[in-house]
Short mmCIF file of all heavy atoms in Angstrom, two decimals:
data_model
loop_
_atom_site.label_atom_id
_atom_site.label_comp_id
_atom_site.label_asym_id
_atom_site.label_seq_id
_atom_site.Cartn_x
_atom_site.Cartn_y
_atom_site.Cartn_z
N GLY A 1 -4.68 3.89 5.20
CA GLY A 1 -4.00 3.50 3.97
C GLY A 1 -4.09 2.00 3.74
O GLY A 1 -4.30 1.54 2.60
N ARG A 2 -3.95 1.20 4.78
CA ARG A 2 -4.04 -0.25 4.63
C ARG A 2 -5.45 -0.67 4.25
O ARG A 2 -5.64 -1.60 3.45
CB ARG A 2 -3.59 -0.92 5.93
CG ARG A 2 -3.59 -2.44 5.83
CD ARG A 2 -3.01 -3.07 7.08
NE ARG A 2 -3.13 -4.51 7.05
CZ ARG A 2 -2.31 -5.33 6.40
NH1 ARG A 2 -1.28 -4.82 5.73
NH2 ARG A 2 -2.50 -6.64 6.42
N SER A 3 -6.45 0.00 4.81
CA SER A 3 -7.83 -0.32 4.45
C SER A 3 -8.07 -0.06 2.97
O SER A 3 -8.68 -0.89 2.27
CB SER A 3 -8.80 0.51 5.30
OG SER A 3 -8.66 0.19 6.67
N ARG A 4 -7.61 1.06 2.46
CA ARG A 4 -7.76 1.34 1.04
C ARG A 4 -6.99 0.33 0.19
O ARG A 4 -7.47 -0.09 -0.86
CB ARG A 4 -7.24 2.75 0.73
CG ARG A 4 -8.10 3.88 1.28
CD ARG A 4 -7.61 5.22 0.74
NE ARG A 4 -8.39 6.33 1.29
CZ ARG A 4 -8.22 7.62 0.92
NH1 ARG A 4 -7.29 7.91 0.01
NH2 ARG A 4 -8.96 8.56 1.47
N TYR A 5 -5.82 -0.05 0.65
CA TYR A 5 -5.00 -0.99 -0.11
C TYR A 5 -5.68 -2.35 -0.22
O TYR A 5 -5.65 -3.00 -1.27
CB TYR A 5 -3.64 -1.12 0.56
CG TYR A 5 -2.75 -2.21 -0.01
CD1 TYR A 5 -2.06 -2.00 -1.20
CD2 TYR A 5 -2.63 -3.44 0.63
CE1 TYR A 5 -1.25 -3.00 -1.73
CE2 TYR A 5 -1.83 -4.43 0.12
CZ TYR A 5 -1.13 -4.22 -1.07
OH TYR A 5 -0.35 -5.21 -1.60
N LEU A 6 -6.31 -2.82 0.86
CA LEU A 6 -6.96 -4.13 0.84
C LEU A 6 -8.29 -4.11 0.10
O LEU A 6 -8.74 -5.15 -0.40
CB LEU A 6 -7.19 -4.61 2.28
CG LEU A 6 -5.93 -4.91 3.11
CD1 LEU A 6 -6.29 -5.28 4.54
CD2 LEU A 6 -5.11 -6.02 2.46
N GLU A 7 -8.92 -2.94 0.02
CA GLU A 7 -10.21 -2.85 -0.65
C GLU A 7 -10.07 -2.77 -2.16
O GLU A 7 -11.01 -3.13 -2.89
CB GLU A 7 -10.98 -1.63 -0.14
CG GLU A 7 -11.44 -1.77 1.31
CD GLU A 7 -12.00 -0.47 1.85
OE1 GLU A 7 -11.96 0.54 1.09
OE2 GLU A 7 -12.47 -0.45 3.00
N ASN A 8 -8.96 -2.28 -2.66
CA ASN A 8 -8.79 -2.06 -4.10
C ASN A 8 -7.52 -2.76 -4.58
O ASN A 8 -6.57 -2.93 -3.81
CB ASN A 8 -8.69 -0.56 -4.40
CG ASN A 8 -9.91 0.20 -3.91
OD1 ASN A 8 -11.01 0.05 -4.43
ND2 ASN A 8 -9.71 1.05 -2.88
N PRO A 9 -7.47 -3.15 -5.84
CA PRO A 9 -6.23 -3.74 -6.37
C PRO A 9 -5.11 -2.73 -6.38
O PRO A 9 -5.34 -1.52 -6.50
CB PRO A 9 -6.64 -4.16 -7.79
CG PRO A 9 -7.81 -3.31 -8.14
CD PRO A 9 -8.54 -3.07 -6.85
N PRO A 10 -3.86 -3.17 -6.24
CA PRO A 10 -2.73 -2.23 -6.22
C PRO A 10 -2.63 -1.45 -7.52
O PRO A 10 -2.86 -1.98 -8.61
CB PRO A 10 -1.51 -3.13 -6.02
CG PRO A 10 -2.05 -4.41 -5.48
CD PRO A 10 -3.41 -4.56 -6.06
N SER A 11 -2.31 -0.17 -7.39
CA SER A 11 -2.07 0.67 -8.56
C SER A 11 -0.76 0.26 -9.22
O SER A 11 0.05 -0.45 -8.62
CB SER A 11 -2.03 2.14 -8.14
OG SER A 11 -0.88 2.37 -7.32
N PRO A 12 -0.52 0.68 -10.46
CA PRO A 12 0.77 0.35 -11.10
C PRO A 12 1.97 0.80 -10.28
O PRO A 12 2.97 0.08 -10.20
CB PRO A 12 0.69 1.08 -12.45
CG PRO A 12 -0.78 1.18 -12.72
CD PRO A 12 -1.43 1.37 -11.38
N ALA A 13 1.88 1.98 -9.65
CA ALA A 13 3.00 2.45 -8.83
C ALA A 13 3.20 1.56 -7.61
O ALA A 13 4.32 1.23 -7.23
CB ALA A 13 2.75 3.90 -8.40
N ALA A 14 2.08 1.15 -6.97
CA ALA A 14 2.18 0.26 -5.82
C ALA A 14 2.71 -1.10 -6.23
O ALA A 14 3.52 -1.72 -5.51
CB ALA A 14 0.83 0.13 -5.14
N ALA A 15 2.28 -1.60 -7.40
CA ALA A 15 2.76 -2.90 -7.87
C ALA A 15 4.26 -2.85 -8.14
O ALA A 15 4.99 -3.81 -7.84
CB ALA A 15 2.00 -3.31 -9.13
N ALA A 16 4.75 -1.74 -8.70
CA ALA A 16 6.18 -1.60 -8.94
C ALA A 16 6.95 -1.57 -7.62
O ALA A 16 8.05 -2.16 -7.51
CB ALA A 16 6.45 -0.33 -9.75
N ALA A 17 6.39 -0.91 -6.60
CA ALA A 17 7.05 -0.88 -5.29
C ALA A 17 7.08 -2.27 -4.66
O ALA A 17 8.07 -2.66 -4.05
CB ALA A 17 6.34 0.11 -4.37
N LEU A 18 5.98 -3.03 -4.84
CA LEU A 18 5.96 -4.39 -4.31
C LEU A 18 7.00 -5.26 -5.00
O LEU A 18 7.64 -6.12 -4.38
CB LEU A 18 4.57 -5.00 -4.48
CG LEU A 18 3.45 -4.44 -3.59
CD1 LEU A 18 2.12 -5.05 -3.99
CD2 LEU A 18 3.74 -4.70 -2.12
N GLU A 19 7.18 -5.05 -6.29
CA GLU A 19 8.18 -5.79 -7.02
C GLU A 19 9.58 -5.49 -6.51
O GLU A 19 10.45 -6.37 -6.46
CB GLU A 19 8.06 -5.47 -8.51
CG GLU A 19 9.00 -6.26 -9.41
CD GLU A 19 8.63 -7.74 -9.49
OE1 GLU A 19 7.46 -8.07 -9.23
OE2 GLU A 19 9.53 -8.55 -9.82
N ALA A 20 9.80 -4.24 -6.15
CA ALA A 20 11.13 -3.82 -5.71
C ALA A 20 11.41 -4.16 -4.26
O ALA A 20 12.54 -4.51 -3.90
CB ALA A 20 11.31 -2.32 -5.94
N TYR A 21 10.39 -4.08 -3.41
CA TYR A 21 10.63 -4.22 -1.96
C TYR A 21 10.04 -5.49 -1.36
O TYR A 21 10.19 -5.72 -0.16
CB TYR A 21 10.06 -3.00 -1.22
CG TYR A 21 10.81 -1.73 -1.52
CD1 TYR A 21 10.38 -0.86 -2.52
CD2 TYR A 21 11.97 -1.41 -0.82
CE1 TYR A 21 11.07 0.31 -2.80
CE2 TYR A 21 12.66 -0.24 -1.10
CZ TYR A 21 12.22 0.61 -2.09
OH TYR A 21 12.92 1.76 -2.39
N GLY A 22 9.39 -6.32 -2.17
CA GLY A 22 8.92 -7.58 -1.67
C GLY A 22 7.47 -7.56 -1.25
O GLY A 22 6.87 -6.51 -1.04
N GLU A 23 6.90 -8.76 -1.12
CA GLU A 23 5.48 -8.89 -0.79
C GLU A 23 5.15 -8.46 0.63
O GLU A 23 4.00 -8.17 0.94
CB GLU A 23 5.05 -10.35 -1.00
CG GLU A 23 5.20 -10.85 -2.42
CD GLU A 23 4.88 -12.32 -2.55
OE1 GLU A 23 4.65 -12.95 -1.50
OE2 GLU A 23 4.86 -12.82 -3.68
N GLY A 24 6.14 -8.45 1.51
CA GLY A 24 5.89 -8.03 2.89
C GLY A 24 5.94 -6.55 3.09
O GLY A 24 5.78 -6.08 4.23
N ASP A 25 6.13 -5.77 2.04
CA ASP A 25 6.25 -4.32 2.18
C ASP A 25 5.02 -3.67 2.81
O ASP A 25 5.17 -2.77 3.63
CB ASP A 25 6.55 -3.71 0.80
CG ASP A 25 6.66 -2.20 0.85
OD1 ASP A 25 7.67 -1.70 1.40
OD2 ASP A 25 5.73 -1.51 0.37
N PRO A 26 3.79 -4.09 2.48
CA PRO A 26 2.62 -3.41 3.09
C PRO A 26 2.42 -3.73 4.56
O PRO A 26 1.49 -3.18 5.17
CB PRO A 26 1.43 -3.94 2.26
CG PRO A 26 2.02 -4.49 1.02
CD PRO A 26 3.37 -5.01 1.41
N ASP A 27 3.25 -4.58 5.15
CA ASP A 27 3.02 -5.02 6.53
C ASP A 27 3.58 -4.07 7.57
O ASP A 27 3.56 -4.39 8.76
CB ASP A 27 3.61 -6.41 6.74
CG ASP A 27 2.98 -7.43 5.82
OD1 ASP A 27 1.81 -7.24 5.44
OD2 ASP A 27 3.66 -8.42 5.46
N TRP A 28 4.11 -2.96 7.16
CA TRP A 28 4.59 -1.99 8.15
C TRP A 28 4.24 -0.58 7.68
O TRP A 28 3.95 -0.35 6.50
CB TRP A 28 6.08 -2.16 8.40
CG TRP A 28 7.00 -1.66 7.30
CD1 TRP A 28 7.11 -2.13 6.03
CD2 TRP A 28 7.91 -0.57 7.40
NE1 TRP A 28 8.04 -1.43 5.32
CE2 TRP A 28 8.56 -0.46 6.15
CE3 TRP A 28 8.28 0.30 8.42
CZ2 TRP A 28 9.52 0.51 5.90
CZ3 TRP A 28 9.25 1.25 8.18
CH2 TRP A 28 9.87 1.35 6.92
N MET A 29 4.26 0.36 8.59
CA MET A 29 3.73 1.69 8.30
C MET A 29 4.57 2.49 7.31
O MET A 29 4.08 3.47 6.75
CB MET A 29 3.57 2.47 9.61
CG MET A 29 4.87 2.78 10.32
SD MET A 29 4.61 3.83 11.78
CE MET A 29 3.53 2.82 12.75
N GLY A 30 5.81 2.08 7.08
CA GLY A 30 6.64 2.80 6.11
C GLY A 30 6.60 2.18 4.73
O GLY A 30 7.54 2.34 3.94
N SER A 31 5.51 1.50 4.41
CA SER A 31 5.40 0.78 3.14
C SER A 31 5.68 1.69 1.94
O SER A 31 5.10 2.78 1.80
CB SER A 31 3.98 0.21 3.01
OG SER A 31 3.74 -0.27 1.71
N HIS A 32 6.58 1.24 1.07
CA HIS A 32 6.89 2.00 -0.14
C HIS A 32 5.73 1.94 -1.13
O HIS A 32 5.54 2.88 -1.92
CB HIS A 32 8.17 1.45 -0.78
CG HIS A 32 9.40 1.77 0.00
ND1 HIS A 32 10.12 2.93 -0.18
CD2 HIS A 32 10.03 1.09 0.99
CE1 HIS A 32 11.16 2.94 0.65
NE2 HIS A 32 11.13 1.84 1.38
N ALA A 33 4.95 0.88 -1.08
CA ALA A 33 3.76 0.81 -1.93
C ALA A 33 2.75 1.87 -1.53
O ALA A 33 2.13 2.53 -2.39
CB ALA A 33 3.13 -0.58 -1.83
N PHE A 34 2.59 2.09 -0.23
CA PHE A 34 1.67 3.13 0.23
C PHE A 34 2.20 4.52 -0.11
O PHE A 34 1.42 5.43 -0.40
CB PHE A 34 1.47 3.02 1.74
CG PHE A 34 0.74 1.79 2.19
CD1 PHE A 34 0.35 0.81 1.28
CD2 PHE A 34 0.43 1.59 3.52
CE1 PHE A 34 -0.31 -0.33 1.67
CE2 PHE A 34 -0.23 0.45 3.94
CZ PHE A 34 -0.60 -0.51 3.00
N GLN A 35 3.52 4.67 -0.07
CA GLN A 35 4.10 5.97 -0.42
C GLN A 35 3.99 6.26 -1.92
O GLN A 35 3.81 7.41 -2.33
CB GLN A 35 5.57 6.03 -0.01
CG GLN A 35 5.81 5.90 1.48
CD GLN A 35 7.28 5.96 1.83
OE1 GLN A 35 7.98 6.91 1.48
NE2 GLN A 35 7.77 4.94 2.53
N ALA A 36 4.10 5.20 -2.74
CA ALA A 36 4.09 5.40 -4.20
C ALA A 36 2.69 5.53 -4.77
O ALA A 36 2.49 6.23 -5.78
CB ALA A 36 4.82 4.23 -4.87
N ASP A 37 1.71 4.89 -4.15
CA ASP A 37 0.34 4.92 -4.68
C ASP A 37 -0.26 6.31 -4.43
O ASP A 37 -0.39 6.74 -3.28
CB ASP A 37 -0.50 3.85 -3.98
CG ASP A 37 -1.82 3.59 -4.68
OD1 ASP A 37 -2.40 4.56 -5.23
OD2 ASP A 37 -2.27 2.44 -4.68
N PRO A 38 -0.67 7.01 -5.47
CA PRO A 38 -1.21 8.38 -5.27
C PRO A 38 -2.51 8.41 -4.48
O PRO A 38 -2.90 9.47 -3.98
CB PRO A 38 -1.41 8.88 -6.70
CG PRO A 38 -1.49 7.65 -7.54
CD PRO A 38 -0.63 6.64 -6.89
N ASN A 39 -3.20 7.26 -4.35
CA ASN A 39 -4.46 7.23 -3.60
C ASN A 39 -4.25 6.87 -2.13
O ASN A 39 -5.24 6.80 -1.40
CB ASN A 39 -5.40 6.21 -4.23
CG ASN A 39 -5.81 6.58 -5.64
OD1 ASN A 39 -6.07 7.76 -5.92
ND2 ASN A 39 -5.83 5.61 -6.55
N LEU A 40 -3.03 6.64 -1.73
CA LEU A 40 -2.77 6.24 -0.34
C LEU A 40 -2.10 7.37 0.42
O LEU A 40 -2.72 8.39 0.70
CB LEU A 40 -1.96 4.94 -0.33
CG LEU A 40 -2.65 3.74 -1.01
CD1 LEU A 40 -1.78 2.51 -0.94
CD2 LEU A 40 -4.02 3.48 -0.40
N TYR A 41 -0.83 7.24 0.78
CA TYR A 41 -0.19 8.26 1.62
C TYR A 41 -0.20 9.66 1.00
O TYR A 41 -0.41 10.65 1.72
CB TYR A 41 1.24 7.84 1.94
CG TYR A 41 1.35 6.83 3.08
CD1 TYR A 41 0.21 6.32 3.70
CD2 TYR A 41 2.58 6.41 3.54
CE1 TYR A 41 0.31 5.41 4.73
CE2 TYR A 41 2.70 5.48 4.58
CZ TYR A 41 1.55 4.98 5.16
OH TYR A 41 1.63 4.08 6.19
N PRO A 42 0.02 9.81 -0.31
CA PRO A 42 -0.04 11.17 -0.87
C PRO A 42 -1.42 11.81 -0.77
O PRO A 42 -1.53 13.05 -0.78
CB PRO A 42 0.37 10.97 -2.33
CG PRO A 42 1.18 9.72 -2.34
CD PRO A 42 0.52 8.86 -1.31
#
């Protein structure tokens, strides 16, 4: 999931999660941006 996140710009859902949970959200495995982005954890 982190590889996909770094290779592509954040989706609108991931950007909204980053806005809500902060820029450090992708730095741990429970990232809300990864959970919200349909191309990542789902």
Side-chain angles (χ1 to χ4, degrees):
R2 182 174 174 81
S3 297
R4 290 189 183 184
Y5 172 78
L6 294 176
E7 291 171 357
N8 302 292
S11 67
L18 290 174
E19 184 69 23
Y21 292 95
E23 299 175 354
D25 179 72
D27 300 332
W28 74 295
M29 65 175 60
S31 169
H32 289 272
F34 292 3
Q35 297 180 55
D37 194 325
N39 296 319
L40 299 180
Y41 279 2

